[in-house]
Amino acid sequence: MAQSSADEMMTLITAGANARDAAVAAMAASRAGKFAQAEKRLKLVAGFVQQAQDAHNHLLTLEARGELPQVKLLLVHAENYLTNATTMQAVATEFQAVYQRLAAANI
């Protein structure tokens, strides 16, 4: 496996983990009624998810060119982080909306 492939996989893992952590922080901010802070965290989530998706797309391109010799456990692990990140992004966005509605209704 080329070094650039391993680097891309590590970028995918790191960005996915950062997205997950930012999503958890966004939900905590929403729960506390700090909606501006939650929105900033959600923007961070989006940036990290984009970074992970870019790395993933690069890996797919390498595979399509035949430049990614074989699937490694590291790649499977990295893709799991991307899946987690996108799921957490959706959940955190929904939490933000729910908490805002509850706050608006004084609940």
Side-chain angles (χ1 to χ4, degrees):
M1 177 172 24
Q3 182 63 33
S4 64
S5 299
D7 288 345
E8 289 289 351
M9 290 178 208
M10 292 309 296
T11 295
L12 186 48
I13 291 168
T14 302
N18 288 340
R20 182 198 60 225
D21 292 346
V24 169
M27 288 185 281
S30 292
R31 184 173 46 252
K34 298 176 181 176
F35 301 118
Q37 183 181 359
E39 190 61 37
K40 288 179 185 177
R41 295 291 183 181
L42 287 172
K43 287 180 182 177
L44 284 175
V45 172
F48 287 129
V49 166
Q50 185 62 54
Q51 185 180 10
Q53 288 173 330
D54 290 347
H56 189 251
N57 288 339
H58 184 250
L59 289 167
L60 290 173
T61 300
L62 291 176
E63 183 179 36
R65 290 182 191 158
E67 297 172 14
L68 195 62
Q70 58 186 345
V71 175
K72 300 283 187 180
L73 181 58
L74 182 61
L75 179 56
V76 174
H77 183 65
E79 288 184 333
N80 183 51
Y81 271 80
L82 175 59
T83 301
N84 249 343
T86 56
T87 300
M88 290 298 292
Q89 181 181 28
V91 170
T93 300
E94 287 301 314
F95 266 77
Q96 170 81 338
V98 169
Y99 281 121
Q100 283 180 328
R101 289 182 74 183
L102 290 173
N106 290 321
I107 297 175

